Amino acid sequence: MSPRNTDVSEQVQALCPLVQVMGDIADKWTIGILVATAHGPIRFTELERAVNGISRRMLTLNLRKLERDGLLTRKVYPTVPPKVEYTATPMAMELYDSLVGMTSWAEKHRAAIAAARASYDAHRAAAAVAS
Amino acid sequence: MSPRNTDVSEQVQALCPLVQVMGDIADKWTIGILVATAHGPIRFTELERAVNGISRRMLTLNLRKLERDGLLTRKVYPTVPPKVEYTATPMAMELYDSLVGMTSWAEKHRAAIAAARASYDAHRAAAAVAS
DNA sequence: CGGGATCCCAGTCGATACTG
DNA sequence: CAGTATCGACTGGGATCCCG
């Protein structure tokens, strides 16, 4: 075995596919990409604009990851200039419903969350002064 | 303006609270913690075991983040030894339904995902040999 | 147009040790 | 028990250049 015991966590990952899968889905960009692709085939540059603030590199990386997981299909049209379309698979469409639930929840409660943060920060600032 | 144009993304973050909120929720550990806390008050060490593979540090960090966002309440019992309970707020309970949807989706499709990965990797390995 | 390859910094994470 | 503090390793992710 490896001298580093870092692989304890690797073993956990191996034993728990759920964590593995969720770790892939529940990442900063994946949700946005999935939501963007769920409305039908979409091109690379369209995605780049659709997913607020993502870089070309991260978009590519995430698209590959999702393609690998079988959530997206990549269709290349050998034209000039090239054209590539990404489409959500049925499996991804199933997930999409839960995703919509999350985003609508976020939209509904974002004001409350902002308020909670402000309150929390104010409280901690006061505590810092008192110290 | 700053010489670096890195802060373009910072501006995007500021303009889009949704991305901000989702970035917090859709992280590797948050989902697990939320699911674990949704079943009633739960103690720190119980959480540590419940959330598969999380380190003590990350647990603390995430708990603070969720508390700040108003999703968790932290109740301290000044006993010896100390006892701290974390409870999901109503807002978090609303989110919980979508979370369950995601995890059950993951559980349902994890085999298909594993197969897709294997197929994808095999395909790429073959392509590498052919090069 | 849709990437791949490389560089590199900043932040994040895990391991470990210490504390009330 | 429930954290905090510190440190080093790793990596996410932007910038940049290039290619079919």
Side-chain angles (χ1 to χ4, degrees):
Chain A
M1 294 311 217
S2 160
R4 299 184 303 156
N5 55 4
T6 314
D7 44 14
V8 169
S9 63
E10 292 174 17
Q11 292 183 17
V12 171
Q13 296 282 318
L15 289 173
C16 180
L18 254 196
V19 174
Q20 227 178 358
V21 172
M22 293 300 293
D24 256 28
I25 306 301
D27 119 308
K28 190 179 177 187
W29 302 115
T30 305
I31 315 278
I33 294 177
L34 246 25
V35 170
T37 50
H39 302 305
I42 184 170
R43 300 185 58 177
F44 186 85
T45 33
E46 290 177 319
L47 271 172
E48 197 172 356
R49 277 181 310 232
V51 181
N52 214 328
I54 195 171
S55 70
R56 211 201 241 93
R57 177 184 143 87
M58 289 321 294
L59 180 55
T60 303
L61 256 45
N62 279 286
L63 286 174
R64 292 288 169 275
K65 185 181 67 183
L66 292 175
E67 188 193 355
R68 187 172 106 101
D69 285 352
L71 293 171
L72 292 182
T73 55
R74 181 167 174 266
K75 175 107 180 171
V76 182
Y77 298 87
T79 60
V80 176
K83 177 180 172 183
V84 178
E85 278 183 354
Y86 291 91
T87 313
T89 63
M91 190 162 69
M93 288 305 295
E94 264 185 72
L95 176 61
Y96 177 67
D97 295 336
S98 303
L99 262 32
V100 169
M102 282 194 57
T103 57
S104 62
W105 176 91
E107 198 154 357
K108 179 181 174 186
H109 292 288
R110 70 181 180 205
I113 291 176
R117 283 182 185 168
S119 158
Y120 184 89
D121 293 347
H123 185 270
R124 299 216 58 188
V129 168
S131 70
Chain B
M1 296 310 218
S2 157
R4 298 185 304 152
N5 55 4
T6 314
D7 43 14
V8 169
S9 63
E10 293 173 18
Q11 292 183 17
V12 171
Q13 295 282 319
L15 290 173
C16 181
L18 255 197
V19 174
Q20 228 176 358
V21 172
M22 292 300 293
D24 255 29
I25 307 300
D27 118 308
K28 190 178 178 187
W29 301 115
T30 306
I31 314 276
I33 295 177
L34 247 24
V35 170
T37 49
H39 302 304
I42 184 171
R43 301 184 57 177
F44 187 86
T45 31
E46 290 177 318
L47 272 171
E48 197 172 355
R49 275 182 311 235
V51 182
N52 210 326
I54 195 172
S55 68
R56 204 192 246 102
R57 177 185 142 87
M58 288 321 294
L59 181 55
T60 304
L61 256 42
N62 279 288
L63 286 173
R64 293 285 172 278
K65 184 181 68 182
L66 291 175
E67 188 192 356
R68 185 173 107 103
D69 285 351
L71 293 172
L72 255 42
T73 54
R74 180 167 174 269
K75 177 109 182 169
V76 183
Y77 298 88
T79 59
V80 174
K83 176 179 172 183
V84 178
E85 278 182 353
Y86 292 91
T87 313
T89 63
M91 190 162 66
M93 288 306 294
E94 265 185 71
L95 177 60
Y96 177 68
D97 294 336
S98 304
L99 262 32
V100 169
M102 281 194 58
T103 56
S104 61
W105 175 91
E107 198 154 357
K108 179 180 175 187
H109 293 287
R110 69 182 180 204
I113 291 176
R117 283 181 184 168
S119 159
Y120 184 89
D121 293 348
H123 186 271
R124 298 215 58 186
V129 167
S131 68

